Amino acid sequence: MRSAARITGILLFVAVGLLNLAPGIVALAPSRLATVYGIVDADVTSTLLLRHRAVMLALLGAALLWAAAAPDWRRPVLIVAVIGKASFIVLVATTAGAHPKLLSVAFADVAALAALAVAAVLTRAWTSRSPTSG
């Protein structure tokens, strides 16, 4: 039972990692901004900033994938992921006039936070480790 729970937690890390890798395509194909964020005809500066955001999300995705395999990385990666996702959710919730497509991105972040919370519990990422625990 304990092993199945740990595997489920690891798979949740992988799933959220892949979710974060997906927007990385915008860094390489800015024409996808309309599909991902609902942005059509963005100016050069906005496009550049969104491409940078895509790179940062892809890096977080890679870190989550690494944390799935490296238990010592789980806690710090979880902290960064929670801060990043929660901050985006708060920004969307408190900004009037944001494109409705951003709501679906924020809802995906809510789901990702829930998955990460379950992953943290199942992999014991928040408990201190003793030589006999694992």
Side-chain angles (χ1 to χ4, degrees):
M1 177 66 169
R2 206 181 263 179
S3 178
R6 188 175 9 248
I7 290 169
T8 300
I10 290 168
L11 290 174
L12 287 170
F13 270 99
V14 170
V16 177
L18 293 174
L19 176 72
N20 277 273
L21 280 175
I25 190 126
V26 170
L28 303 173
S31 61
R32 304 286 299 186
L33 283 171
T35 305
V36 177
Y37 300 114
I39 297 173
V40 180
D41 296 328
D43 62 49
V44 173
T45 302
S46 296
T47 299
L48 180 62
L49 289 169
L50 287 168
R51 290 177 74 193
H52 181 260
R53 179 183 193 279
V55 169
M56 300 307 288
L57 284 171
L59 287 172
L60 178 58
L64 285 161
L65 292 174
W66 181 261
D72 290 342
W73 282 78
R74 289 183 188 144
R75 188 179 303 186
V77 170
L78 277 168
I79 291 168
V80 171
V82 167
I83 291 169
K85 297 197 168 307
S87 66
F88 184 73
I89 293 164
V90 169
L91 289 170
V92 169
T94 59
T95 302
H99 193 285
K101 184 86 171 173
L102 293 182
L103 279 178
S104 63
V105 176
F107 284 132
D109 278 354
V110 170
L113 281 176
L116 288 173
V118 173
V121 170
L122 294 179
T123 62
R124 299 179 176 197
W126 292 114
T127 59
S128 59
R129 297 180 184 272
S130 67
T132 58
S133 70

